[in-house]
Amino acid sequence: MTPTPEPSSSAPAQAGALEEEAYAALRHALLFGGFAPGERLSIRGVAARLDLSPMPVRAAIRRLVSEHALDTTPAGTAVVPHLTREQFRELTGLRARLEPHALELAVPHLAEPELAALQGHLETFAAAKAAGDPAATQRADTEFLFTLFRAAHSPLLLGFIESLWLRRGPLFWEARWVLLSTSSLHARHADILAALRDGNVAGASAALADDIERTAEVLLASHPFGA
């Protein structure tokens, strides 16, 4: 009798790798202009865009829905959040509490290599802003802050912050030219780094909270929100 072949362990591993690839690609798209607020995401359409099969895309979308990075229609279709003013205010309030807390947790872990990395992100941001490149400015802004958040060594807190950023990402991308042209919004990261180098944790935390709140004020005054 021919022996029954044992199940291959490579198939689940490959499926998991494809799901992670789809998940990472969708997260990047939410942060950097891949989807518009209110856009409905068909599994086949997203799979074709990512050049993946529908199964890992379906799993990745389900993960993002469970993390509140995506909404769903009554029929169960995933949709990119189109935040109302009230939802944006709530999101801003959460960010203004969680992100300074992450910064404070990060401080004991910030040595010269981390501070040098923060300085590098500031310089990249300044060069991108001078070149009028909103995508590069947003990437540098993201890397500056997440260098701090990752240094907190709190996976749970980092996950909460990432979910908020994914949810606000499409709105911030849509408003990228407003944010790029508002020069007063870009000084606070330099203030954060200066305060960290001086050992002024409270000052760095306050500068981050102020940056979040001032950016929100600009958007609330100038950007159309969902109904």
Side-chain angles (χ1 to χ4, degrees), residues 53-200:
S53 65
M55 188 174 295
V57 170
R58 181 183 291 109
I61 287 175
R62 285 175 177 167
R63 282 175 66 181
L64 289 165
V65 168
S66 72
E67 294 169 0
H68 305 291
L70 295 172
D71 294 330
T72 55
T73 66
T77 302
V79 61
V80 177
H82 192 187
L83 300 178
T84 65
R85 297 176 73 85
E86 291 72 22
Q87 289 169 337
F88 180 66
R89 288 192 181 100
E90 180 185 19
L91 187 149
T92 298
L94 290 169
R95 288 188 60 212
R97 289 166 176 79
L98 294 178
E99 293 180 25
H101 180 53
L103 180 151
E104 291 161 11
L105 292 178
V107 167
H109 307 288
L110 295 177
E112 187 53 39
E114 289 76 22
L115 296 173
L118 292 170
Q119 180 62 44
H121 295 317
L122 285 181
E123 292 169 2
T124 300
F125 181 96
K129 184 175 184 297
D133 185 341
T137 59
Q138 287 205 10
R139 283 194 296 270
D141 175 81
T142 300
E143 284 304 314
F144 178 90
L145 290 172
F146 275 86
T147 296
L148 289 171
F149 303 154
R150 286 189 292 266
H153 296 287
S154 175
L156 185 60
L157 179 57
L158 181 62
F160 289 148
I161 292 171
E162 286 177 337
S163 292
L164 294 173
W165 273 63
L166 289 171
R167 193 162 181 80
R168 57 133 241 188
L171 182 152
F172 270 60
W173 179 258
E174 195 173 62
R176 62 195 180 279
W177 293 109
V178 171
L179 297 174
L180 186 66
S181 64
T182 307
S183 59
S184 63
L185 296 179
H186 305 307
R188 298 306 270 161
H189 288 184
D191 294 340
I192 291 168
L193 181 55
L196 290 172
R197 286 194 177 279
D198 289 342
N200 182 1

Side-chain angles (χ1 to χ4, degrees), residues 199-217:
N200 182 1
V201 179
S205 179
L208 177 53
D210 183 63
D211 176 50
I212 293 167
E213 290 162 358
R214 286 168 61 186
T215 301
E217 288 171 5

